[in-house]
Amino acid sequence: MLDYILRRLALMVLTLFGASVAIFLLLRIVPGNIADILFDSAGMIDPAEKQQIIKDLGLDLPLVEQYARWIGGLAHGDLGYSYVSEKPVLDEILPRIPITARLAGLALLFAVCTGVPFGVISAVRQNSWLDYILRVFSLLFLSMPSFWLGLLVLMAFVNWFGILPIYDKAPPTWGAFALMLGVPAATVGLRSSALIMRLTRSSMLEVLRQDYVRTARSKGLSEGAVTFVHALRNAVLPVITTIGIETAFLFGGLIVTETVFNIPGVARFLVEAIRWRDYPMVQNLVMFIAVIVVMVNLIVDIAYMFVDPRIRLRA
Amino acid sequence: MMRSRLWLAVACLLATMGSAVAQKQGGTLRVTHRDNPPSASVLEEATISTLMPFMAVFNNLVVFDPATRENRLDRVVPDLATSWALTDDDRTLTFQLRDGVKWHDGKPFTSADVKCTFDMLSGKVASKMRKNPHKTWWFNVKDIATDGDNKVVFHLTDPQPSIMALFAAGFSPIYPCHVPAAEMRTHPIGTGPFKFVEFKQNESIKLVRNPDYWKPGRPYLDAIEYTIIPNRATMLLAMATGKFDLTFTSDLTPELMKSLQEQAPETQCVLQPTGTQGNLLVNRERPPFDNEQIRRAMVLSIDRKAFSDILSRGIFDVGGVDLPPPEGRWGWSKEFMETVPGYGADVEKSRDEGRRIMKSLGYGPDNMLPLKVSTRNIPDYRDAAVILIDHLKSVYIQAELEPLDSSVWYARLARKDFSVGMNIQGISIDDPDATFFENYLCGSERNYTSYCNADLEKKFHEQSQMKDLDARRKLVWDIDKTLQMDAARPVVFHAKAATCWWPRVHGINIAMNTIYNHWRFEDVWLDQ
């Protein structure tokens, strides 16, 4: 088992190295650099001033040296300075991480807590009116773009309740705080919830037809015990895989949701940093996201071992 | 009779007292902000995104009277300078400075700060400023000298009455000599009514009341908080629900303004010229656009009214380089505009002339001139470019849209790596000394089309030295006409947009001819 985890960890390091090179090179392939964009707001470019900015920021150095400086800094916990705010990258990122982490965590929790039970209900009540309704809604949420859904939710809250659940540094009441957290999380989690529901349903339908389920029923076990103990445990493996993948996809949804709900999190900040070609900020933020995604996948791999004894034995 | 007069006098007195004591102290003004300002340094930027939130941190030598709506030369009033005087030859301008003013960090404000600010701006000394977008404004400043701590003397190369308008512009605040330029970009120090507290990238900007402000009793507000909301729909909903007191200036298109007032009828809005104009860029160094006739045909194809109708339901103004009246001081009158080729009401007649020119050059319906119209890939630019492409077809030009990322746009303009472009640019002060020198002077960084006309340049200087406003206006109109006829950078429209606020906000006085001023908020108060 330890060998399995160590192998996964080694793969993780390799993946992160590849990601760092890809991020670094891709950023520099994209046309335009910070020096050009800094002049955007001035409506002109002064070649001498531009050259000075490029020199000051070390953008005239060879790519290998720039990469080595970045990785060397990372190893020492020095993430460099933002080109735009001229503040340490760590100071800019750190306050935003909890905001996004909370939103992502809640969204994932919402997705799992609604997706899995509804998937089970839909499978158990196959071809009933409840199944049809759940399938229609899951299709609807899967095909609805996050930004549109977000705006609809905002407009609905304004029109029906006269409140706007956008980010507030100091929400006046606990209710406002709960709404401020819950509504965006539900909005971003709906797509994942729909996906998890559909996957749980199809996986459950397959498992419910297995011989061991029939055996469990013939033993006289209650329907609940058959469904949740025997069927769901076997059906949940592909769902766990999907949760791992969805964590990565969640960041895409978060960018839109953070913009619509005006949440000052990492995802929205990343988009702005890319627009500005703020290399230190983008590199470190994308690396941070890569680490999270790789870590979640490691956790998923480890979870497999606990859920499925065959993997544990093979490991 | 005597008694009624007495009552009237008492009523007037009470009304005056009422308005004098009506202002309430305290409260935080919550303002929306459209995007993340590139920095907090007003001198280094040319965008309203920086100017509006940070103008309140600073003072100028002089300002346009904040109580009036029109920024004009005869309404310049003291700010850090208490008085000013010109010598008989109009070449030496002396400012007497206010005594006892302190920077927000407690250090005293002196004439050295004024000298150092304008030495930096005019490029006389090397500075650590990353950019100096308004350097051309100070072309006439020969040198600056101090005379003690409270007097500063500007020596001008030539007389320039309009220089006072430039001193009063929002982009001309006085910076402290002792604070490095890099710090001014992140933590500005000024003498203004509000002190900088924090600027969280992509999130918010906070200013608090300066208790030591030199103007007694001001400001009324305790703080100003800007929240950056890039999404227009969210901003509109937030404003409609009363989460904010004031919108970012000219952030609402006429349509959005209508929508807000439907949702929140109590809100007050002012539709004003944004100071931005759409113009056509033709690279006169790149064939076949080096041919004056082709440039002329392109200009004749433009239907300016159609631009205004499509983009703003007819609200945008049509004019030349300078902002048209009634808001603008220097723009053409309607009668004069009719005399400018391409500006007449009969667009088809202009297009016939354009087609005749193109035919004489060998182009026609079966042999259209292909070209790319480059523009920034943001809606305001793209929409205008699409209309332009449609208009160009009328003179046998088959254009294709080339949308460019903002990061590439100015780099391409600087390299002159474009044939035809649709551009939108801001004019921060309603004065020809700013517009002509910034955009049409040979070699100016903002002269994207490299237009260079030595004779006209002499006229730029000539108008700049004129004291007689009517004579100057006549010359300015002629210069503007020549610029349009030469297709230097044909102006297509002058944009308008709205600023809105809730009735609880008092003391907002939006200038009618610029959005780049009147954001010091020292007279603003909240009734709550």
Side-chain angles (χ1 to χ4, degrees):
Chain A
M1 188 155 120
L2 188 69
D3 183 45
Y4 176 80
I5 294 173
L6 284 175
R7 254 188 293 140
R8 293 280 152 192
L9 278 173
L11 266 175
M12 193 176 119
V13 172
L14 210 64
T15 309
L16 287 177
F17 170 71
S20 74
V21 175
I23 297 158
F24 183 85
L25 291 178
L26 282 173
L27 260 180
R28 278 146 183 91
I29 289 169
V30 178
N33 65 31
I34 178 77
D36 289 330
I37 301 167
L38 280 176
F39 281 98
D40 186 12
S41 53
M44 45 71 96
I45 287 180
D46 183 311
E49 288 173 349
K50 180 181 165 181
Q51 220 39 53
Q52 189 58 47
I53 291 171
I54 288 174
K55 200 173 163 224
D56 290 348
L57 299 178
L59 296 172
D60 55 343
L61 297 171
L63 281 185
V64 178
E65 194 176 335
Q66 287 184 49
Y67 179 78
R69 278 187 178 199
W70 172 43
I71 294 296
L74 261 184
H76 293 93
D78 174 13
L79 275 60
Y81 278 76
S82 160
Y83 290 165
V84 181
S85 70
E86 301 178 64
K87 289 178 189 162
V89 169
L90 207 60
D91 290 359
E92 292 282 15
I93 295 177
L94 273 183
R96 289 176 164 88
I97 289 175
I99 298 172
T100 301
R102 201 167 48 194
L103 181 62
L106 278 175
L108 215 56
L109 189 73
F110 173 83
V112 175
C113 290
T114 53
V116 173
F118 284 134
V120 172
I121 294 168
S122 193
V124 173
R125 302 257 184 271
Q126 194 192 2
N127 295 331
S128 67
W129 61 268
L130 190 61
D131 179 33
Y132 290 134
I133 289 175
L134 287 171
R135 280 159 67 188
V136 166
F137 270 99
S138 67
L139 260 182
L140 192 72
F141 292 139
L142 264 178
S143 41
M144 242 192 235
S146 297
F147 71 90
W148 191 63
L149 182 64
L151 281 177
L152 279 187
V153 170
L154 279 186
M155 280 192 264
F157 267 88
V158 170
N159 283 325
W160 293 338
F161 312 114
I163 49 170
L164 189 69
I166 61 170
Y167 182 79
D168 192 339
K169 260 187 296 191
T173 59
W174 280 102
F177 179 68
L179 275 180
M180 187 190 89
L181 285 181
V183 177
T187 307
V188 79
L190 266 179
R191 202 200 74 91
S192 305
S193 164
L195 188 73
I196 290 170
M197 186 234 129
R198 292 186 75 79
L199 209 81
T200 309
R201 181 182 179 276
S202 59
S203 189
M204 277 292 284
L205 283 176
E206 203 182 312
V207 171
L208 285 172
R209 290 191 189 102
Q210 297 293 319
D211 291 342
Y212 61 83
V213 173
R214 200 176 306 121
T215 309
R217 280 205 184 102
S218 64
K219 278 200 305 183
L221 287 180
S222 70
E223 199 54 34
V226 172
T227 307
F228 291 104
V229 179
H230 292 272
L232 183 60
R233 191 167 174 191
N234 287 291
V236 87
L237 212 60
V239 178
I240 292 174
T241 315
T242 310
I243 293 169
I245 297 167
E246 274 301 291
T247 311
F249 276 103
L250 206 62
F251 274 95
L254 284 179
I255 290 168
V256 177
T257 309
E258 285 189 354
T259 305
V260 172
F261 287 88
N262 212 45
I263 300 167
V266 171
R268 193 180 106 187
F269 194 55
L270 173 64
V271 177
E272 195 65 13
I274 293 171
R275 189 175 81 78
W276 279 92
R277 308 291 188 275
D278 193 346
Y279 297 155
M281 196 62 84
V282 179
Q283 284 165 184
N284 291 304
L285 269 177
V286 176
M287 271 311 281
F288 168 72
I289 294 167
V291 170
I292 297 288
V293 171
V294 169
M295 288 289 284
V296 169
N297 278 286
L298 179 75
I299 293 168
V300 166
D301 286 347
I302 294 169
Y304 277 172
M305 291 195 307
F306 290 99
V307 177
D308 190 345
R310 288 169 300 182
I311 296 173
R312 194 162 53 223
L313 290 172
R314 233 180 285 149
Chain B
M1 185 71 179
M2 201 53 192
R3 178 174 284 189
S4 65
R5 277 188 188 169
L6 188 66
W7 274 114
L8 190 68
V10 170
C12 286
L13 187 67
L14 284 173
T16 321
M17 279 173 67
S19 67
V21 295
Q23 289 92 340
K24 290 182 182 167
Q25 196 84 36
T28 298
L29 184 75
R30 294 156 308 157
V31 192
T32 64
H33 198 301
R34 63 176 188 176
D35 60 4
N36 190 55
S39 80
S41 179
V42 173
L43 290 184
E44 293 191 54
E45 311 298 346
T47 170
I48 187 68
S49 295
T50 292
L51 183 70
M52 186 180 174
F54 297 108
M55 189 174 162
V57 175
F58 299 100
N59 285 115
N60 289 27
L61 279 177
V62 290
V63 285
F64 290 111
D65 186 351
T68 63
R69 287 202 61 210
E70 197 177 2
N71 280 194
R72 44 192 273 191
L73 208 48
D74 56 351
R75 289 183 185 166
V76 172
V77 295
D79 203 19
L80 284 176
T82 52
S83 62
W84 56 95
L86 264 170
T87 51
D88 289 343
D89 65 352
D90 292 333
R91 285 186 167 86
T92 306
L93 178 60
T94 306
F95 289 97
Q96 186 66 44
L97 304 179
R98 203 171 288 280
D99 205 13
V101 177
K102 281 193 164 48
W103 294 103
H104 294 160
D105 59 4
K107 294 205 165 61
F109 156 76
T110 68
S111 56
D113 295 307
V114 180
K115 176 176 164 51
C116 141
T117 300
F118 287 98
D119 275 344
M120 241 178 1
L121 284 177
S122 56
K124 304 231 174 316
V125 297
S127 76
K128 283 282 175 193
M129 286 205 306
R130 277 175 167 178
K131 297 166 283 180
N132 186 1
H134 295 112
K135 191 174 165 185
T136 51
W137 285 10
W138 311 106
F139 69 93
N140 196 27
V141 174
K142 198 159 64 179
D143 65 74
I144 305 148
T146 56
D147 181 1
D149 279 352
N150 292 329
K151 199 180 274 185
V152 64
V153 184
F154 285 75
H155 296 285
L156 309 178
T157 309
D158 290 305
Q160 189 190 5
S162 265
I163 200 165
M164 291 307 291
L166 301 178
F167 282 124
F171 283 113
S172 307
I174 305 300
Y175 267 28
C177 256
H178 60 279
V179 181
E183 199 178 322
M184 292 299 282
R185 290 194 286 268
T186 55
H187 193 292
I189 301 279
T191 54
F194 291 91
K195 285 180 171 184
F196 173 87
V197 178
E198 63 177 6
F199 170 19
K200 287 188 180 170
Q201 293 285 318
N202 268 301
E203 191 178 337
S204 60
I205 297 158
K206 187 168 184 184
L207 312 177
V208 291
R209 183 173 190 272
N210 174 10
D212 305 319
Y213 191 44
W214 52 268
K215 207 179 264 192
R218 298 291 198 282
Y220 298 116
L221 297 167
D222 284 341
I224 307 175
E225 259 185 36
Y226 289 85
T227 303
I228 297 165
I229 310 179
N231 189 294
R232 289 284 171 94
T234 310
M235 179 274 290
L236 204 66
L237 287 170
M239 189 66 194
T241 50
K243 266 188 182 285
F244 294 93
D245 304 305
L246 169 71
T247 64
F248 191 75
T249 183
S250 62
D251 203 17
L252 301 173
T253 60
E255 285 300 305
L256 286 179
M257 179 186 88
K258 207 174 131 202
S259 170
L260 175 67
Q261 294 203 305
E262 276 167 10
Q263 292 178 62
E266 311 94 303
T267 51
Q268 297 166 9
C269 295
V270 168
L271 194 66
Q272 63 175 141
T274 58
T276 52
Q277 55 170 248
N279 48 41
L280 171 64
L281 305 177
V282 184
N283 188 346
R284 53 213 301 126
E285 289 168 2
R286 185 176 281 191
F289 306 104
D290 53 347
N291 184 335
E292 186 193 332
Q293 295 284 39
I294 288 187
R295 295 199 302 265
R296 190 168 153 68
M298 290 169 81
V299 172
L300 291 171
S301 77
I302 298 170
D303 178 359
R304 291 174 170 84
K305 191 175 173 306
F307 271 91
S308 175
D309 288 344
I310 297 167
L311 296 173
S312 69
R313 297 195 178 191
I315 285 167
F316 286 2
D317 285 326
V318 175
V321 172
D322 289 298
L323 187 67
E327 294 95 347
R329 296 271 294 157
W330 301 98
W332 296 326
S333 66
K334 279 232 167 8
E335 298 73 36
F336 188 90
M337 192 158 66
E338 290 287 326
T339 69
V340 183
Y343 280 84
D346 193 348
V347 177
E348 271 316 303
K349 192 177 156 200
S350 297
R351 286 179 172 172
D352 280 342
E353 171 67 5
R355 281 190 281 269
R356 194 192 57 72
I357 292 170
M358 291 300 280
K359 272 187 179 162
S360 72
L361 295 168
Y363 298 102
D366 303 323
N367 179 31
M368 292 175 87
L369 170 65
L371 64 85
K372 276 185 181 168
V373 173
S374 311
T375 197
R376 283 175 85 176
N377 194 12
I378 48 179
D380 290 352
Y381 283 66
R382 244 180 4 235
D383 295 349
V386 169
I387 300 169
L388 175 71
I389 288 170
D390 182 54
H391 290 187
L392 290 174
K393 274 186 201 148
S394 67
V395 291
Y396 311 131
I397 295 173
Q398 183 69 53
E400 182 192 330
L401 182 69
E402 186 188 27
L404 297 171
D405 190 83
S406 292
S407 60
V408 181
W409 172 243
Y410 285 110
R412 291 271 294 269
L413 290 187
R415 291 200 306 270
K416 305 284 179 282
D417 183 13
F418 69 97
S419 297
V420 174
M422 185 70 221
N423 180 47
I424 294 179
Q425 71 177 94
I427 304 287
S428 54
I429 183 164
D430 184 23
D431 192 280
D433 276 12
T435 51
F436 290 157
F437 288 92
E438 214 170 274
N439 302 305
Y440 301 96
L441 197 73
C442 305
S444 162
E445 300 295 349
R446 272 185 152 184
N447 184 351
Y448 307 129
T449 58
S450 303
Y451 177 79
C452 188
N453 182 334
D455 291 337
L456 211 59
E457 207 166 300
K458 274 183 205 153
K459 288 184 180 172
F460 292 171
H461 288 280
E462 192 186 328
Q463 65 79 29
S464 170
Q465 294 173 36
M466 291 168 88
K467 273 184 173 174
D468 180 339
L469 289 185
D470 289 329
R472 186 182 176 207
R473 184 174 292 114
K474 193 174 172 309
L475 181 57
V476 165
W477 285 4
D478 286 337
I479 293 172
D480 200 348
K481 185 175 178 178
T482 309
L483 287 170
Q484 301 309 315
M485 286 170 64
D486 279 357
R489 193 190 298 190
V491 177
V492 180
F493 60 81
H494 288 267
K496 278 185 172 175
T499 310
C500 300
W501 61 93
W502 282 87
R504 56 181 176 263
V505 184
H506 297 265
I508 294 269
N509 188 24
I510 294 189
M512 61 192 267
N513 54 344
T514 183
I515 58 166
Y516 299 93
N517 220 322
H518 290 215
W519 299 118
R520 199 159 280 157
F521 292 105
E522 58 188 24
D523 298 316
V524 173
W525 56 280
L526 284 169
D527 187 11
Q528 59 183 19

